[in-house]
């Protein structure tokens, strides 16, 4: 049986790498230092995914397996990995805007593997509810033949829309790092909401593990957005271009 999850995750990484290289070349930032930053992102992302998953099980024997599907842990690890790689080589240029569209499109591709192999979501009566094979791991609804939210399809749609929005905004925003800030804030808010349709276990006050994690991250991102808004970083997004 083909490891569809791993195949699509690999395709997602490949797509993200292609988008990063093309964007770096367009901005004149394709150099050895930026490629080292990518390496830091890949290594940090792999470690972050597995550590985040391990925190759910606290089982060292399953560290590699469980952590491989924690997207929020992967994003956090990748961010830290880039910072660490740049610190080691003394690279001071901002690279976040190169990563933002690459991550969005790569995530859209990777989530196809999640949709094909994981429990889709919580039961629903909505007309677009989906059914998954009874062999799907950790999916009582699949065994019962229930229609469930296609939560990963929701995320694929979000990531494709985010990619299109970022590609539109990249030529308008001039303040370095704001493209990544907008993407992270948008994804954090979306992920908190979509968790209500996911099949993840609840941990506290009806919230899932990712939602508990985001309870800390969302206020920080909101503060960062407010900081940029007050300084006019996002004004170009609302200004109509005047035709010559």
């Amino acid at each position: 049986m083909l490891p569809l999850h791993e195949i699509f995750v690999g395709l997602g990484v490949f797509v993200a790498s292609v988008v990063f290289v093309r964007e770096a070349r367009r901005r004149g930032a394709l150099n050895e230092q930026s490629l080292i930053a990518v390496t830091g992102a890949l290594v940090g992302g792999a470690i972050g995914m597995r550590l985040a998953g391990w925190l759910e099980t606290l089982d060292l024997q399953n560290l590699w397996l469980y952590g491989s599907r924690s997207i929020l842990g992967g994003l956090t690890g990748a961010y830290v990995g880039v910072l660490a790689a740049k610190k080691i080589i003394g690279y001071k240029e901002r690279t976040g805007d190169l990563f933002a569209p690459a991550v969005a499109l790569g995530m859209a591709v990777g989530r196809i593997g999640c949709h094909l192999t994981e429990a889709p979501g919580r039961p629903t009566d909505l007309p677009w509810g989906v059914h998954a094979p009874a062999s799907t791991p950790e999916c009582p609804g699949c065994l019962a033949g229930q229609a469930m939210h296609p939560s990963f399809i929701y995320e694929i749609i979000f990531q494709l829309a985010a990619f299109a929005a970022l590609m539109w905004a990249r030529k308008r925003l001039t303040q370095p790092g704001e493209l990544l800030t907008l993407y992270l804030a948008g994804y954090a808010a979306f992920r908190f909401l979509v968790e209500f349709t996911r099949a993840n276990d609840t941990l506290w006050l009806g919230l899932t593990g990712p939602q508990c994690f985001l309870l800390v991250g969302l206020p920080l991102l909101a503060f960062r957005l407010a900081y940029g808004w007050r300084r006019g970083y996002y004004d170009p997004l609302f200004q109509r271009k005047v035709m010559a």
Side-chain angles (χ1 to χ4, degrees):
M1 190 173 185
L2 289 175
L4 292 176
H5 185 273
E6 288 73 16
I7 288 173
F8 277 98
V9 168
L11 285 174
V13 172
F14 173 76
V15 168
S17 299
V18 171
V19 174
F20 179 91
V21 170
R22 288 176 62 89
E23 186 64 9
R25 182 178 290 121
R26 186 186 72 85
R27 292 174 179 255
L30 185 59
N31 49 47
E32 182 179 347
Q33 290 88 346
S34 63
L35 294 179
I36 290 176
V38 171
T39 303
L42 294 175
V43 173
I47 295 173
M49 283 193 293
R50 284 148 183 82
L51 284 177
W54 173 69
L55 289 175
E56 298 178 9
T57 65
L58 298 179
D59 186 349
L60 286 174
Q61 293 182 343
N62 292 319
L63 174 58
W64 184 261
L65 173 63
Y66 285 100
S68 63
R69 302 191 179 195
S70 177
I71 294 297
L72 289 177
L75 285 175
T76 303
Y79 186 79
V80 173
V82 171
L83 293 180
K86 290 166 63 175
K87 182 70 173 179
I88 290 171
I89 64 175
Y91 188 52
K92 300 184 182 300
E93 296 298 323
R94 303 287 291 271
T95 56
D97 293 341
L98 302 178
F99 280 103
V103 170
L105 191 57
M107 290 267 283
V109 174
R111 280 308 197 188
I112 297 174
C114 298
H115 176 69
L116 295 175
T117 60
E118 297 185 34
R122 299 179 184 180
T124 180
D125 294 326
L126 293 172
W128 56 79
V130 298
H131 295 81
S135 59
T136 303
E138 301 178 6
C139 182
C142 300
L143 291 171
Q146 294 176 311
M148 292 165 287
H149 280 284
S151 61
F152 296 114
I153 297 296
Y154 298 158
E155 182 157 351
I156 291 169
I157 293 171
F158 169 83
Q159 297 292 357
L160 290 175
F163 174 72
L166 291 168
M167 294 298 284
W168 171 82
R170 62 181 180 158
K171 295 181 180 180
R172 292 166 172 78
L173 293 178
T174 58
Q175 184 68 24
E178 295 310 310
L179 204 63
L180 180 63
T181 298
L182 288 174
Y183 172 70
L184 292 177
Y187 179 60
F190 166 82
R191 181 61 188 270
F192 187 88
L193 295 175
V194 84
E195 276 294 309
F196 289 112
T197 71
R198 294 281 299 273
N200 293 327
D201 295 332
T202 56
L203 300 180
W204 179 65
L205 296 179
L207 301 178
T208 66
Q211 286 175 317
C212 291
F213 174 83
L214 289 169
L215 283 178
V216 178
L218 279 169
L220 295 175
L221 287 167
F223 177 80
R224 180 61 182 78
L225 282 177
Y227 176 89
W229 180 269
R230 289 195 300 268
R231 282 156 180 76
Y233 293 166
Y234 311 125
D235 290 352
L237 297 178
F238 305 98
Q239 294 172 354
R240 181 177 299 178
K241 289 189 173 182
V242 179
M243 299 299 293

